[in-house]
Amino acid sequence: MKLPTDLLYADTHEWLKVEGTVGIVGISDHAQNELSDVVFIELPKVGTQAKARTNIAVVESVKAASDIYSPVSGEVIEVNMDLQNDPALLNADPYGKGWIYKIKLAQPDETKNLKDAEGYKAQIGG
Amino acid sequence: MTSSGVDLQRTPLHAVHVALGARMVPFGGWDMPVQYTSILKEHAAVRTTAGLFDISHMGEVRVKGSGAVAWLNETLTNQVEKVSVGSSQYTLLLNDQGGVIDDLFLYRPGEDEFLLMINASMIEEDIRALKSHLNRSDVILTDESRQTAAMALQGPVSSIILDRWIPGASAKLPRFAIQSFETSFGKISVARTGYTGEDGFEIITSSSKAADIWNHLLKIGQSDGLIPCGLGARDTLRMEVCYPLNGHELGPEITPLEAGLGIFVDLNKPRFPGKDILVQQKANGVPRKAVALLAQVPGAPPRADYPVCKDGKIIGKLTSGCLSPTLQKGIGLALIETAHAMVGNTVDIEIRGKYNPSSIVKKPFYQKPK
């Protein structure tokens, strides 16, 4: 399982890349592997006020719909429209082209609640 | 063990699935492979080359005797006399309310010998119901499920692969035919039937030979693109051709007429369980009907239990649904009020608070080019 060390991870399997006051969010390699074929994603709307640990998007695999929880609070400022035409990017490149949305961090301290790669690895039994 | 503490049953191919790296899930009381690689890849293989499914979890009941034809005609819905020796038909077992206990395939290997292939989740209940209707000495009913294994070889090149193992076999098997063959793995039965909408074969064998045959088929079929396929692909494949699944399109409170399966019911037969209700439904019309829904615009996949609405009012619900891998559109099977159930009508599928417009279309969604 790929686990980039420059990312933070939620116990609900989302990753967060912090770039100053902006965060980029996606799902981990472990999560995409568990889901298997992603066939659809319901992206958040730009402008949505996300709250940490609440549902922000829905990713659908062949068999089931899965909730995506925002790792941090803030305003959604951009969403990855490529995922509309090619949801399989989430499987193929979960940390790169499969990014889901960008968020303006409302409470940067919230990142303390997330795990680093080692901590997340321990959770998923790596 | 499941979380409920009840042990799942295992087919004779269980160890093989695990060795192949399959993702195992509970299904109808059995520990079965949902996928080996990816559901979409396995689905595509069956539509373009071939796939191999373990269907050993299904039940096999043998019915023999001079009274077999008469008894089967009094017990199941379809007309058994239409089945010539060496052929088969789809049929249903109903309760006294006309609802479906199970749908099944009836094979006729001999003049007075029949083999019923029944759903894995219904084996005990079907046999209980069949036995409750059996009180004649000229019919012997035997549950052969435990000692029988089966696998389905399905796809456009399936006949090439079968013939590589048993030369000339496919030429001896027109659609719906069943025949036994002596092979290097012992005696087997092969039927030209399946649940995918592709050409294919269902291979019935003794449990002890199942793994050897499975491995042999995968080996000789590899160069033609044969891969093992799980229940995930089995479900998306059957949905594309609108085949019902017991527990979804069928159930104890759904009659075959509501489900659109009237052609498998012979109301001219003197009697069978549930006949009276169906006669009434034929005369008065059914209150709800099974329809095929095709999404009009790209959106979230339709799924079982999603409400179907018209002008904001709920008129029914989906019994199955998915994003069709072949059509790349949302497809669903639904049970809705008869008044709205006309091909060409538009209805809404409600998905997470949003209405997704869908058309009622003629079945099936996908048809093999002839």
Side-chain angles (χ1 to χ4, degrees):
Chain A
M1 287 297 131
K2 295 204 216 96
L3 277 176
T5 51
D6 61 333
L7 304 179
L8 296 171
Y9 299 85
D11 56 14
T12 44
H13 310 290
E14 295 81 12
W15 56 260
L16 176 77
K17 183 168 192 182
V18 179
E19 292 181 341
T21 55
V22 170
I24 310 175
V25 180
I27 61 170
S28 67
D29 190 32
H30 171 84
Q32 73 73 21
N33 189 59
E34 284 292 298
L35 285 168
S36 191
D37 304 295
V38 173
V39 295
F40 180 79
I41 177 162
E42 198 172 281
L43 293 165
K45 283 193 175 54
V46 171
T48 302
Q49 295 300 330
K51 269 176 66 175
R53 300 187 74 78
T54 57
N55 169 266
I56 188 70
V58 179
V59 169
E60 301 224 34
S61 62
V62 177
K63 294 302 280 180
S66 293
D67 286 321
I68 303 300
Y69 301 93
S70 190
V72 290
S73 310
E75 185 181 316
V76 174
I77 55 175
E78 197 183 332
V79 299
N80 185 357
M81 295 302 282
D82 287 342
L83 294 178
Q84 299 240 341
N85 299 325
D86 193 3
L89 283 171
L90 274 157
N91 295 116
D93 193 7
Y95 299 114
K97 296 204 178 85
W99 68 273
I100 301 175
Y101 66 99
K102 293 184 181 167
I103 182 167
K104 192 146 181 253
L105 300 171
Q107 285 154 244
D109 276 357
E110 281 174 339
T111 58
K112 288 205 299 273
N113 303 328
L114 301 172
K115 299 179 176 171
D116 62 8
E118 279 308 304
Y120 180 62
K121 190 172 171 197
Q123 176 193 327
I124 59 176
Chain B
M1 296 281 276
T2 62
S3 53
S4 69
V6 176
D7 283 334
L8 293 172
Q9 296 189 74
R10 294 179 170 187
T11 73
L13 293 169
H14 187 271
V16 170
H17 302 319
V18 172
L20 283 168
R23 190 176 297 202
M24 305 299 286
V25 297
F27 178 80
W30 294 77
D31 195 28
M32 294 297 288
V34 68
Q35 65 188 77
Y36 298 82
T37 52
S38 110
I39 296 177
L40 296 181
K41 195 162 155 232
E42 292 166 23
H43 181 113
V46 174
R47 291 268 179 260
T48 59
T49 52
L52 189 62
F53 299 84
D54 179 9
I55 53 170
S56 304
H57 56 322
M58 298 187 74
E60 292 83 12
V61 177
R62 200 163 298 266
V63 177
K64 284 164 97 154
S66 52
V69 172
W71 178 74
L72 288 166
N73 260 341
E74 289 176 355
T75 310
L76 305 173
T77 60
N78 209 344
Q79 174 50 255
V80 175
E81 308 223 7
K82 288 195 297 188
V83 186
S84 45
V85 175
S87 194
S88 65
Q89 72 180 186
Y90 177 74
T91 183
L92 298 119
L93 171 65
L94 307 183
N95 55 37
D96 291 329
Q97 291 72 47
V100 175
I101 298 177
D102 210 1
D103 62 335
L104 57 134
F105 240 85
L106 177 149
Y107 298 88
R108 190 174 190 173
E111 181 70 36
D112 293 320
E113 184 180 341
F114 296 83
L115 183 68
L116 311 181
M117 280 273 271
I118 60 183
N119 276 296
S121 55
M122 300 301 296
I123 297 175
E124 258 186 64
E125 197 175 325
D126 284 1
I127 291 177
R128 215 174 23 238
L130 290 167
K131 283 187 171 166
S132 76
H133 293 299
L134 178 53
N135 42 28
R136 49 196 298 169
S137 54
D138 56 355
V139 175
I140 314 278
L141 187 152
T142 322
D143 177 7
E144 296 184 353
S145 306
R146 290 222 174 274
Q147 60 261 48
T148 309
M151 56 204 86
L153 175 64
Q154 303 277 309
V157 305
S158 56
S159 57
I160 295 173
I161 297 168
L162 182 70
D163 290 343
R164 192 169 290 144
W165 175 31
I166 309 170
S170 68
K172 296 193 181 125
L173 289 166
R175 186 119 172 76
F176 299 118
I178 184 167
Q179 210 175 126
S180 57
F181 296 91
E182 279 297 340
T183 75
S184 49
F185 300 108
K187 189 164 174 212
I188 62 160
S189 290
V190 183
R192 203 156 195 161
T193 48
Y195 195 51
T196 60
E198 298 297 325
D199 186 22
F201 306 86
E202 293 180 305
I203 298 158
I204 304 163
T205 153
S206 69
S207 295
S208 58
K209 302 287 185 200
D212 288 339
I213 293 173
W214 172 277
N215 290 327
H216 184 70
L217 283 170
L218 283 182
K219 192 164 116 205
I220 65 173
Q222 188 179 34
S223 57
D224 283 293
L226 177 67
I227 59 171
C229 298
L231 294 181
R234 192 166 167 78
D235 201 21
T236 49
L237 286 161
R238 66 97 190 166
M239 261 190 250
E240 286 185 341
V241 289
C242 300
Y243 287 173
L245 175 61
N246 197 5
H248 290 252
E249 289 65 50
L250 304 174
E253 291 174 12
I254 304 172
T255 74
L257 299 187
E258 291 168 355
L261 300 175
I263 56 166
F264 305 107
V265 178
D266 183 355
L267 291 176
N268 294 317
K269 296 196 293 182
R271 71 185 153 280
F272 55 82
K275 183 194 163 176
D276 294 343
I277 308 287
L278 299 194
V279 168
Q280 272 175 47
Q281 278 198 334
K282 185 114 195 258
N284 304 331
V286 288
R288 52 190 185 161
K289 262 185 168 171
V291 292
L293 298 179
L294 181 65
Q296 287 179 354
V297 293
R303 296 193 190 273
D305 296 325
Y306 285 175
V308 178
C309 305
K310 185 70 187 174
D311 301 325
K313 211 178 68 124
I314 294 180
I315 58 166
K317 64 171 193 169
L318 257 65
T319 51
S320 295
C322 71
L323 198 63
S324 158
T326 306
L327 303 176
Q328 284 296 295
K329 287 182 172 169
I331 60 172
L333 300 173
L335 211 49
I336 66 170
E337 290 169 13
T338 301
H340 298 281
M342 271 93 65
V343 169
N345 277 7
T346 297
V347 294
D348 294 307
I349 300 175
E350 194 233 297
I351 306 178
R352 291 189 290 278
K354 229 183 108 205
Y355 284 155
N356 290 245
S358 306
S359 306
I360 299 178
V361 298
K362 198 159 162 278
K363 297 177 183 183
F365 298 108
Y366 165 81
Q367 195 152 50
K368 208 60 218 172
K370 298 232 184 303

